[in-house]
Amino acid sequence: IGTLVGWAMRPTQRPGRNPEYQRVLARYRSENELRAATDAFLHGLSVHVLSDGDYGLVLGVEPESPLAFRISDMAGVTDDHQKLLAGLILTGLAAYAYPSAEELEDDRVRRVDEQDFDLWLRGLCERLRSHDAAGEPIPEQGLDDAWRVFLEMPSVARNEAGGRPGKLRRSCTRYWVRNVLGWLGGQGMARPDTTSEGRWTLTERFRVH
């Protein structure tokens, strides 16, 4: 159980690339006693298994779990405005890739272009601003705050001098889109397109989550 959970906690690892991971995962799938004991152990940590497919053991973690992720754990996120941005972009990516419940049943590959997604999310925030101007309430407090933070920033701002001229600055939304996608890459939920800068592929692990 410890070996299997250890592998599951390394989301970029795949059982097809590691015989030991493949062996313990096969036992989890085929041995009812081991599966029950593993699930009971995870339950004690407020964790449950989302999938035991080709991507390995994909775990869902409840907010009260000691293993729970916090937005502030993401690299570069230090204040409340940045937490709102990161949360908006994460949920926005899910809505962009899977705009309906039916889409979640379709396992075809989903790709994201940083610029296209940024424009899509900006358009969504503009619609929320129009609703707000018309006096229509936005039911989610966090969303109401997040679109304001997003629209306060330009899409693109680049360094004009210093060690890395042309690099995206933290004061633009494209920087945060790239930052969140990079974090998803580290979680095994996205991978960069090596042939085209600014394009990403969302993995099956992302769809499961």
Side-chain angles (χ1 to χ4, degrees):
I1 291 172
T3 300
L4 178 59
V5 173
W7 282 114
M9 296 298 294
R10 288 176 274 182
T12 59
Q13 296 294 323
R14 298 273 294 276
R17 300 173 187 160
N18 189 288
E20 178 66 6
Y21 191 5
Q22 195 170 47
R23 182 186 69 79
V24 292
L25 182 62
R27 287 192 60 193
Y28 175 83
R29 290 169 172 167
S30 61
E31 298 179 20
N32 291 336
E33 187 177 3
L34 179 63
R35 176 186 286 268
T38 302
D39 291 349
F41 171 78
L42 291 171
H43 178 74
L45 292 169
S46 297
V47 176
H48 56 278
V49 175
L50 298 176
S51 172
D52 58 5
D54 293 341
Y55 267 81
L57 203 67
V58 181
L59 303 178
V61 180
E62 299 299 328
E64 66 273 14
S65 170
L67 302 179
F69 170 77
R70 303 285 184 268
I71 289 290
S72 56
D73 296 334
M74 188 180 293
V77 176
T78 57
D79 61 31
D80 288 343
H81 281 189
Q82 292 168 0
K83 291 177 186 177
L84 285 168
L85 277 173
L88 178 68
I89 291 166
L90 275 172
T91 52
L93 282 167
Y96 182 78
Y98 303 100
S100 70
E102 290 75 20
E103 293 278 354
L104 282 169
E105 302 304 317
D106 182 355
D107 61 0
R108 63 186 170 88
V109 172
R110 311 293 169 129
R111 292 185 172 86
V112 176
D113 179 271
E114 293 173 7
Q115 181 177 358
D116 291 347
F117 172 72
D118 182 74
L119 290 172
W120 176 86
L121 189 55
R122 188 165 293 272
L124 180 62
C125 290
E126 291 285 3
R127 292 202 300 274
L128 291 171
R129 176 154 62 186
S130 297
H131 289 313
D132 180 70
E136 300 174 20
I138 297 172
E140 294 288 345
Q141 178 63 39
L143 180 60
D144 194 29
D145 294 336
W147 71 258
R148 299 172 193 276
V149 174
F150 193 90
L151 290 182
E152 286 174 358
M153 291 185 170
S155 289
V156 177
R158 298 186 183 274
N159 291 337
E160 297 179 359
R164 301 189 67 179
K167 181 183 177 183
L168 289 170
R169 298 170 60 184
R170 294 167 60 89
S171 58
C172 70
T173 55
R174 282 275 297 282
Y175 169 91
W176 289 101
V177 169
R178 180 169 296 180
N179 191 59
V180 170
L181 282 163
W183 176 80
L184 286 172
Q187 304 305 309
M189 289 190 274
R191 57 177 180 270
D193 187 334
T194 56
T195 63
S196 178
E197 185 179 1
R199 288 181 62 84
W200 299 75
T201 298
L202 300 177
T203 68
E204 174 70 4
R205 182 180 290 272
F206 181 84
R207 185 178 75 91
V208 168
H209 271 283

